[in-house]
Amino acid sequence: MSERTAPPPATSSPTPAIPYVPGLDGVPAAKSSICFIDGDQGILEYRGYPIEALAESSTFEETSYLLLWGKLPARADLDKFTRDMATNRDVRFRLIDLLKCLPDTGHPMEALQASIAALGMFYPDRDVDKPEDRYNSAVRIIAKATTLVAAYYRLSTGRDYIPPKDDLSHAANFLYMLTGEDPEPDVARVMDICFILHAEHSMNASTFAGRVTASTLADPYTVVSSAIGALTGPLHGGANEQVIHMLQRIGEAEKARPYIEDLIARKQKIMGIGHRIYRVKDPRALVLQKLASQMIAKRGGDPLLVVAQEVEKVVAEHLGAKRIYPNVDFYSGVVYTAMGLPPALFTPMFAVARISGWLAHWIEQLQGNRIYRPDQIYTGTHNEPYVPVEERV
Ligand code: COA
């Protein structure tokens, strides 16, 4: 039997040069020219362009170009990029076979993460140092992600895969691959705006996860699948799905007050409310609220929107003093539901749009890259005597 001696006094961890900040709140993790947010004034800009102007006048294809390459494209460049995106939508049949093999009990986000990681295995031209490989990988991942989401959705709900069309916009083609019907132009435009609004949002959990992976010089498929994993959680991208479940549980506007007051009394988080950065209403929520109201007015109303507005009112009364307001996820689910899209697709739709932002960060991270290696404050013990398993109590 090993003799048990008292462990020598623990050596204390060296005092870190930088104080520990839970959640790295306010700690800069990179220098970036991709996205600007002023959370006090509700300003969001991609490459210096206000989100409201992009939602009004741009397309997802043009916004993706802007994010990736840093400037709005000239006509010829936009046409080439749009064409490249359209002709890269189809995926190899073995990827469709892979999706068929995934259990239909899985979440579409899990299928997206797995299939984006697998996608890279089909394309050896992913040398992160080569500009043409970077361009081809970026176009390929953005273009094919919607195909993978739509394919898994249809296959896991017992329907056939619908191959993409290359004569539709990115947003319209996504809707086409879900239903097999060309969407109405106004519905396709709403999808396009939703993609623009979700395309980038600076250094959040998923972007940070992607940049950490990028800093190891991993290939872009792996970078994006890391970021997708981080986006799945209910405190991040998963919130939009939770919002619609909450609104459906509430059901009627009159039931919103007791429901929300009960959550607040039990110190529970209300999904779609609050943001680490915004201390006013999220500017994307403003655009989405307007879109939801316009779409729903055309259809003669929707009880979910009325419930959402009542929830917002009760939250403002109780949490307004804490400067907690609706975020992007609060109204996106209402818009998607009005478009007839199922909640399980909400987070994947966020992901396929955000891929443009993640890849912009991947390209930026590669310039002057240094591998991420933060520190920790060790709080465990030292020099524990090893006791054989039979002698442990
Ligand atoms: N419901 C109720 N209270 C909330 C809240 C919410 N959704 N969000 C924040 N608060 C409260 C916090 O509990 C905290 O209260 P306290 O000061 O009494 O402890 C206070 O508001 C400040 O919170 P804050 O520091 O701003 O939150 P955070 O930065 O730690 O977390 C989120 C930010 C987004 C994770 C958080 O607001 C949240 O969980 N929201 C719901 C999920 C969601 O919609 N996520 C999508 C984000 S785009």
Side-chain angles (χ1 to χ4, degrees), residues 9 37 60 66 106 113 135 140 151 154 198 230 234 243 251 294 340 360 362 368 391:
I37 303 174
F60 178 69
L66 171 70
Q113 185 181 24
Y135 179 87
R140 205 177 275 142
R154 287 195 57 92
H198 285 88
V243 172
Q294 285 166 352
W362 164 63
E391 296 168 25

Side-chain angles (χ1 to χ4, degrees), residues 365-380:
Q365 180 64 35
L366 292 175
Q367 293 152 15
N369 178 56
R370 187 165 189 219
I371 189 168
Y372 278 97
R373 199 342 177 163
D375 207 348
Q376 62 164 15
I377 297 170
Y378 178 68
T379 60

